[in-house]
Amino acid sequence: FRKDSLLLATLAYNVGPYRLLGYGKIPKSRLIQKLESGDRDIYREYISFRCYRGKVIPSIERRRKEEFELFYIP
């Protein structure tokens, strides 16, 4: 994933690698699918990892936005 490896490592640490890469019956995330196809417009998919027990948590959303700003290299 070259440029996006640090961003993905941070997200995998926070949400778990199986939610990103898939395992068994769990499919790959849309974020990984877009990166594998060469599309780097991943802001919406990255921010979508902001829920806990089905609810949007504002503090997690702020954290994801900060992480994206810090680690995304255009």
Side-chain angles (χ1 to χ4, degrees), residues 45-60:
E45 285 76 17
Y46 191 82
I47 300 301
S48 71
F49 290 96
R50 66 184 189 269
C51 298
Y52 179 71
R53 294 188 180 180
K55 295 181 181 178
V56 174
I57 308 297
S59 62
I60 295 175

Side-chain angles (χ1 to χ4, degrees), residues 10-41:
T10 304
L11 187 61
Y13 178 77
N14 288 320
V15 301
Y18 297 119
R19 290 207 44 208
L20 290 177
L21 301 173
Y23 181 76
K25 293 183 180 180
I26 301 171
K28 287 182 182 178
S29 67
R30 286 179 289 154
L31 178 85
I32 297 295
Q33 291 172 359
K34 280 183 97 171
L35 288 174
E36 286 179 342
S37 70
D39 186 6
R40 291 196 67 231
D41 185 25

